[in-house]
Amino acid sequence: MQIINREQIEQVLPQLDLVPAIEAGFVAYSAGKAVIPPVGEMILSRGEVHLKYGYIPEDEYYVIKIASGFYDNAALGLPTGNGLMLLFSQESGQLVSILLDQGHLTDIRTAVAGAVVARQLAPRHVRRIGVVGAGVQARLQLQYLNQVIDCREVLVWDRGKDLLGKYQNDMASQGYQIETTLDAAEILGECNLVVTCTPAREPILYASDLLPGTHITAVGSDTPQKQELEAAILSRADLVVADSIEQCLERGEIHQAIQAGEIGQLDIVELGQVISGEAVGRTSEEQITVADLTGVAVQDIAIATAVYQAVDTLHK
Amino acid sequence: MQIINREQIEQVLPQLDLVPAIEAGFVAYSAGKAVIPPVGEMILSRGEVHLKYGYIPEDEYYVIKIASGFYDNAALGLPTGNGLMLLFSQESGQLVSILLDQGHLTDIRTAVAGAVVARQLAPRHVRRIGVVGAGVQARLQLQYLNQVIDCREVLVWDRGKDLLGKYQNDMASQGYQIETTLDAAEILGECNLVVTCTPAREPILYASDLLPGTHITAVGSDTPQKQELEAAILSRADLVVADSIEQCLERGEIHQAIQAGEIGQLDIVELGQVISGEAVGRTSEEQITVADLTGVAVQDIAIATAVYQAVDTLHK
């Protein structure tokens, strides 16, 4: 049994080809080939804990992820999010590896899903990338988009100038030309590939600013309450894609738009179906597309397996 | 963060006072003071995995237990059962300890629950202890009964002479006088404290053999299908006690007896209520009492916390 700490994980991450690994996970999920029990949840006075777990029968392992968010942790000098992943043998139930990633692999697999979506749905010519939010996920999204999108021009929005300045500095080394704005409407006005990465509970982007040929990946909203996009954006879109239709009916932007009566369940296709070709993706440069990512256990299975195998190979 | 292996766990177990710790867990559970989400379950082609988790708000930790049973493991030279327990801080969600117990603490906390029940419900004068089954749990039950019951005379039943001989040898060192039988009826005929520890799916003990003044602790049945006691035994009993009423309505002997129409939900009291005095326990030496143990996450919380604290103290 191998215990893998965060340093070891960060060491192998750059060498992993995660986009195809997570694409394969989404395809298996949408084809009904993944066994994913309902998410376990435990609410405490200072935080909450989620258990995501499952397996793809043709794989070697099953994966259990424990992820927590404790909202007063900053006062303790600790990060809000935390967690670990556990890998077990499908043959014997033996514990194969404990990945002490402290929630980092959840951030990474979420960013990789952004790249997976962009590869499928971004317009061929990305003029400028728009990033809503300037936190950890807003950094990782650009880092992984790098692999699948040529454009290096970025406009980033957030509420605070300090946050934006820090983001600009941190990301400059990655080869992006980054400009900032405090006016969220500029994002939809100037960018045709947009990623939203905030925990907002009120819309930040509005349908009145939406131009033809835009793709939006909504990453921030993963609960029934959170919302970054005005619901009318989804009804204006030519294509609305969910990472998991089942989950997106309960949480995220699609949930909000259905509640608002802007779209119906039949207007949604699933990401794995678009990847496999079972559903049609973007068919013209003029189309508006929206993808809603709420996070699916197949992503955890894919990344945990890839990290474990890479570390294991290093030790052989 | 402390990783505790099985050797370290076995080293501290003898010094732990687990009966009061697990009694307190049952009391908290029955008083509605424990937060125990529904058990998570994952079925695979060769086995199954259960996730039990929860916390008592006034404690320091929350506990997640992962337990598996893989039924072809003997062919691989591996034990059927396996698992681990994880201890996290209720204040911050930080991982405090990983207990690599390989399922051993589940066996122990189940045996301790047998002692907790015996302390509450056994007749004052135990003539002879009857044990149904000769496996791991049948050994541990005697080991923990030792602390709460004076009687050292034991009659053990199982289907095979070899199993019984091995049991007799293994347990002799613990100060018990052990006799064996291949006739299960002798158990109820000769013993007034009986513990059943088999995975049977058909009754082994029958109401026609039941004598006044007997207490039976049914440990083996923890699924909707398993059954060791004829349902009429529960209707003949003066008192039927569940470790968790909610769970026992779905699985175990009480579930079987309710399905058979032998008892109703209102005939059952909960172990924690008996311990706290909120419900009446045994009131005479002539009463027949039955306790049904299906395993509750508060037991896992109590034992994981006790083991971690003992190991942590050793290291200070």
Side-chain angles (χ1 to χ4, degrees):
Chain A
M1 198 277 292
Q2 194 153 16
I3 295 169
I4 302 177
N5 64 30
R6 172 136 180 189
E7 270 176 32
Q8 291 172 290
I9 291 168
E10 289 186 357
Q11 193 192 336
V12 299
L13 273 175
Q15 79 197 45
L16 298 180
D17 204 4
L18 292 172
V19 170
I22 285 184
E23 274 181 353
F26 282 123
V27 169
Y29 178 75
S30 293
K33 286 184 182 162
V35 179
I36 310 288
V39 175
E41 188 178 61
M42 180 159 55
I43 309 297
L44 295 99
S45 65
R46 298 186 186 211
E48 52 187 73
V49 182
H50 290 97
L51 286 84
K52 291 192 173 180
Y53 50 106
Y55 67 98
I56 298 169
E58 63 201 30
D59 283 357
E60 209 168 329
Y61 310 111
Y62 61 91
V63 171
I64 298 174
K65 179 177 85 168
I66 299 160
S68 64
F70 277 70
Y71 300 103
D72 301 333
N73 271 6
L76 303 170
L78 295 170
T80 303
N82 209 324
L84 73 159
M85 296 188 181
L86 301 149
L87 217 78
F88 299 84
S89 158
Q90 282 190 33
E91 193 185 0
S92 67
Q94 301 292 294
L95 179 60
V96 172
S97 184
I98 301 174
L99 283 71
L100 298 169
D101 70 306
Q102 301 169 327
H104 187 51
L105 291 177
T106 299
D107 290 339
I108 298 292
R109 60 84 154 152
T110 303
V112 174
V116 167
V117 166
R119 187 147 98 160
Q120 298 298 325
L121 298 176
R124 205 161 302 164
H125 174 64
V126 176
R127 205 165 57 241
R128 203 173 188 189
I129 301 170
V131 178
V132 174
V136 172
Q137 190 55 225
R139 287 165 164 75
L140 291 173
Q141 286 287 334
L142 276 197
Q143 187 180 322
Y144 280 90
L145 276 179
N146 195 56
Q147 301 177 16
V148 297
I149 300 291
D150 289 334
C151 174
R152 296 292 172 265
E153 309 292 315
V154 175
L155 181 63
V156 57
W157 170 92
D158 208 320
R159 286 185 209 284
K161 272 195 178 165
D162 292 354
L163 277 171
L164 288 170
K166 196 159 180 331
Y167 184 91
Q168 216 169 4
N169 283 338
D170 291 352
M171 299 306 292
S173 64
Q174 302 220 7
Y176 286 103
Q177 286 280 99
I178 294 180
E179 293 184 36
T180 66
T181 179
L182 292 167
D183 176 8
E186 282 188 22
I187 295 287
L188 286 182
E190 301 190 13
C191 307
N192 61 342
L193 171 57
V194 174
V195 188
T196 63
C197 317
T198 76
R201 286 163 174 255
E202 301 286 341
I204 298 170
L205 301 182
Y206 287 87
S208 53
D209 301 313
L210 191 60
L211 298 175
T214 303
H215 169 76
I216 304 174
T217 305
V219 178
S221 176
D222 57 354
T223 71
Q225 293 77 32
K226 292 185 199 165
Q227 181 175 14
E228 301 180 278
L229 310 183
E230 187 190 16
I233 288 181
L234 282 83
S235 54
R236 283 276 305 282
D238 298 285
L239 181 65
V240 176
V241 177
D243 56 357
S244 154
I245 290 175
E246 189 185 337
Q247 273 183 206
C248 288
L249 295 176
E250 308 267 313
R251 50 188 75 215
E253 306 297 340
I254 287 171
H255 163 74
Q256 293 282 357
I258 288 175
Q259 292 291 105
E262 291 284 346
I263 60 170
Q265 187 172 341
L266 297 177
D267 298 323
I268 315 159
V269 299
E270 209 162 60
L271 180 54
Q273 297 176 307
V274 174
I275 298 167
S276 70
E278 202 193 313
V280 177
R282 172 178 289 275
T283 54
S284 87
E285 286 291 284
E286 293 305 301
Q287 282 188 316
I288 294 170
T289 54
V290 174
D292 191 9
L293 301 181
T294 55
V296 187
V298 281
Q299 297 167 254
D300 303 313
I301 296 169
I303 199 166
T305 304
V307 167
Y308 165 68
Q309 286 171 338
V311 174
D312 191 48
T313 304
L314 273 185
H315 286 75
K316 270 177 184 159
Chain B
M1 198 277 293
Q2 194 153 17
I3 296 169
I4 302 177
N5 63 30
R6 172 133 180 191
E7 270 177 33
Q8 290 171 291
I9 292 169
E10 289 187 356
Q11 193 192 338
V12 300
L13 273 175
Q15 79 197 46
L16 298 180
D17 205 4
L18 292 172
V19 170
I22 285 184
E23 274 181 352
F26 282 123
V27 169
Y29 178 75
S30 293
K33 286 184 181 161
V35 178
I36 309 288
V39 175
E41 186 178 64
M42 181 161 52
I43 308 296
L44 295 100
S45 64
R46 298 184 186 212
E48 53 187 73
V49 182
H50 289 96
L51 286 86
K52 291 192 174 181
Y53 51 107
Y55 67 98
I56 297 170
E58 63 201 29
D59 283 358
E60 210 169 328
Y61 310 111
Y62 61 91
V63 172
I64 298 174
K65 179 177 86 169
I66 299 160
S68 64
F70 278 70
Y71 300 102
D72 302 332
N73 271 5
L76 304 169
L78 295 169
T80 302
N82 208 326
L84 73 159
M85 296 188 182
L86 301 149
L87 217 79
F88 299 84
S89 158
Q90 282 190 32
E91 192 184 1
S92 67
Q94 301 292 294
L95 179 61
V96 173
S97 184
I98 301 174
L99 284 71
L100 298 170
D101 71 305
Q102 301 169 327
H104 186 53
L105 291 178
T106 299
D107 290 339
I108 298 292
R109 60 82 155 153
T110 303
V112 174
V116 167
V117 166
R119 185 145 99 160
Q120 298 299 324
L121 299 176
R124 203 161 305 165
H125 174 64
V126 176
R127 205 166 58 243
R128 204 174 187 188
I129 300 169
V131 178
V132 173
V136 171
Q137 190 54 224
R139 285 165 166 76
L140 290 172
Q141 286 287 334
L142 275 196
Q143 187 181 320
Y144 281 90
L145 277 178
N146 193 56
Q147 300 178 16
V148 297
I149 299 292
D150 290 333
C151 174
R152 295 293 172 264
E153 309 290 316
V154 176
L155 181 63
V156 55
W157 170 92
D158 208 320
R159 286 185 209 284
K161 272 194 179 166
D162 291 356
L163 277 171
L164 287 170
K166 196 158 178 335
Y167 184 90
Q168 216 168 6
N169 283 339
D170 291 352
M171 299 305 292
S173 64
Q174 301 220 7
Y176 285 103
Q177 286 280 99
I178 294 181
E179 292 184 35
T180 67
T181 178
L182 293 167
D183 176 7
E186 282 187 23
I187 295 286
L188 286 183
E190 301 190 14
C191 307
N192 61 342
L193 171 58
V194 174
V195 189
T196 64
C197 317
T198 76
R201 285 163 174 254
E202 302 286 341
I204 298 170
L205 301 183
Y206 287 87
S208 54
D209 301 313
L210 191 61
L211 299 176
T214 302
H215 169 75
I216 304 174
T217 305
V219 179
S221 176
D222 57 355
T223 71
Q225 293 78 31
K226 292 184 199 167
Q227 182 175 16
E228 301 180 277
L229 310 183
E230 187 189 16
I233 288 180
L234 281 83
S235 54
R236 283 276 305 281
D238 299 285
L239 182 65
V240 176
V241 177
D243 56 358
S244 155
I245 290 175
E246 190 185 335
Q247 274 183 206
C248 288
L249 295 176
E250 307 267 312
R251 50 188 74 215
E253 307 297 340
I254 287 172
H255 163 75
Q256 294 282 355
I258 288 175
Q259 291 292 103
E262 290 284 347
I263 60 171
Q265 186 172 342
L266 297 177
D267 298 324
I268 314 160
V269 300
E270 209 162 60
L271 180 54
Q273 299 176 305
V274 175
I275 298 168
S276 71
E278 201 194 312
V280 178
R282 172 178 289 275
T283 53
S284 87
E285 286 291 284
E286 293 305 300
Q287 282 188 317
I288 293 171
T289 55
V290 174
D292 190 9
L293 300 181
T294 56
V296 187
V298 281
Q299 297 168 256
D300 302 314
I301 296 169
I303 199 164
T305 303
V307 167
Y308 164 68
Q309 286 172 337
V311 173
D312 191 48
T313 303
L314 272 184
H315 285 76
K316 272 176 183 158

